[in-house]
Amino acid sequence: MKSATGTLINSGFSSVLSDFKEITKVRLAVSVVFSSIAGYFLGAYELQWSAILLLAFGGYCMVGASNAFNQVIERDLDALMKRTQNRPIPSGRMSVSSAMTTAVILTVLGIVALYILSPKTAMFGAISIFLYTSVYTPLKTKTPLAVFVGAIPGAIPFMLGWVAATDDFGIEPGTLFMIQFFWQFPHFWALGWMLDEDYKKGGFKMLPTGKKDTGTVLQIILYTIWMIVISIMPVFGFTGRLHLSIPAAVIVFVMGVVMLIFAFKLYEKRDNKTARSLMLASVSYITLMQIVYVIDKFI
């Protein structure tokens, strides 16, 4: 009997944990935390592990809260799409009230953790949640411009780490913001291309022209070029304390060109397989670029 009870408890806990990870989008949240910590390493004069832990915890809470609010708001639309119909709320595994409670608790914990680091850090975190849930989410069914709005909270994490380390906002975190801001367009439009049919079932307008056409791919190429240009700007000495050596800039440039090649391949082939390759290339780019920046600072 005790063994059976223990098994049930473990099974119930595993189910709750799995739903928590899904409603907070754990992989996305971890990638955001990674960006924030990279920004912290770039801005810090001296590494403080207590600050890094607070940033990681607060960052995860803020992203998790945004995703939970988003899934509460879009629960009926999620039920219409194959990729989202098994999420905790539309599948019936989690009630709306439980999801809202989770989102509110994560918001409070996240803001408190980031406020301990600095009021500016908490302010940017709060702005991120507000824009994502109150502006980006409702706009997704109204206009493709939603992606531009969503790119703002999506670009905050990289700069947030710098602000957490310095309690200051200037050209350095502004540059980090712009890198991640322009990166998001080819990334999300490649994703939108792959999932266009499914998104349309939910009424989402994710592609800039509303279609998988030449105009969409040309914008993907244009924003990829801008991303590359801004990513190597620190090598020219225009960005304050944010420096990049010539070898590091060459590496970042080459990685950007690889991503651009995938964008041109999408222009040529116009298929979901190529769009997926571009999306994966964009994920590799943003991660490796941040690693290169951090390594370059410390060597």
Side-chain angles (χ1 to χ4, degrees):
M1 179 67 72
K2 288 184 179 179
S3 176
T5 302
T7 301
L8 286 173
I9 292 173
N10 289 335
S11 176
F13 176 76
S14 296
S15 177
V16 170
L17 179 61
S18 176
D19 285 342
F20 176 81
K21 289 162 63 177
E22 192 163 356
I23 204 161
T24 59
K25 293 187 179 178
V26 63
R27 285 186 293 180
L28 173 61
V30 169
S31 70
V32 168
V33 168
F34 180 87
S35 293
S36 298
I37 292 175
Y40 177 89
F41 272 70
L42 292 173
Y45 292 98
E46 180 181 350
L47 299 181
Q48 297 180 0
W49 294 105
S50 59
I52 293 172
L53 289 173
L54 277 171
L55 179 61
F57 176 76
Y60 189 98
C61 287
M62 301 299 267
V63 179
S66 296
N67 289 323
F69 281 128
N70 173 266
Q71 290 183 47
V72 169
I73 296 167
E74 294 182 348
R75 60 189 183 276
D76 294 331
L77 301 179
D78 282 347
L80 302 175
M81 297 183 290
K82 184 177 180 180
R83 62 181 288 269
T84 56
Q85 61 190 9
N86 197 43
R87 282 177 173 174
I89 302 175
S91 68
R93 298 193 308 273
M94 181 181 290
S95 67
V96 173
S97 60
S98 294
M100 277 296 293
T101 300
T102 300
V104 171
I105 291 174
L106 288 174
T107 300
V108 173
L109 290 176
I111 290 177
V112 169
L114 296 182
Y115 188 85
I116 293 172
L117 285 171
S118 79
K120 284 190 180 73
T121 309
M123 178 190 72
F124 282 119
I127 289 172
S128 177
I129 288 182
F130 173 77
L131 287 176
Y132 190 86
T133 60
S134 300
V135 185
Y136 166 67
T137 295
L139 277 179
K140 286 164 67 179
T141 57
K142 306 296 183 185
T143 171
L145 290 175
V147 175
F148 289 82
V149 177
I152 298 172
I156 285 177
F158 200 16
M159 60 151 261
L160 190 72
W162 185 290
V163 174
T166 63
D167 193 27
D168 184 50
F169 182 84
I171 190 169
E172 300 93 344
T175 302
L176 299 181
F177 175 90
M178 293 304 293
I179 292 171
Q180 199 149 356
F181 178 80
F182 281 100
W183 166 82
Q184 286 180 91
F185 295 100
H187 172 74
F188 282 109
W189 285 335
L191 184 65
W193 186 291
M194 289 166 49
L195 301 173
D196 185 54
E197 290 77 14
D198 209 25
Y199 275 133
K200 284 179 177 176
K201 293 177 184 177
F204 294 123
K205 305 177 186 297
M206 303 304 291
L207 296 177
T209 65
K211 296 180 289 185
K212 297 157 74 169
D213 60 6
T214 300
T216 288
V217 186
L218 288 177
Q219 291 196 53
I220 287 173
I221 291 170
L222 177 63
Y223 280 93
T224 303
I225 292 171
W226 274 112
M227 177 202 74
I228 295 170
V229 170
I230 297 170
S231 293
I232 62 172
M233 272 183 57
V235 77
F236 299 107
F238 302 145
T239 53
R241 282 205 303 121
L242 182 63
H243 300 295
L244 199 62
S245 68
I246 292 177
V250 170
I251 293 171
V252 170
F253 178 77
V254 169
M255 291 191 303
V257 169
V258 170
M259 185 172 157
L260 185 61
I261 289 171
F262 280 103
F264 276 110
K265 284 184 177 180
L266 182 60
Y267 180 85
E268 176 187 354
K269 297 186 177 180
R270 316 286 179 88
D271 60 7
N272 289 347
K273 182 179 178 182
T274 309
R276 184 174 187 274
S277 296
L278 173 59
M279 187 272 293
L280 293 175
S282 70
V283 172
S284 298
Y285 175 84
I286 197 68
T287 303
L288 293 174
M289 179 274 297
Q290 290 167 349
I291 291 172
V292 169
Y293 263 67
V294 171
I295 291 175
D296 188 59
K297 174 184 175 179
F298 289 99
I299 63 172

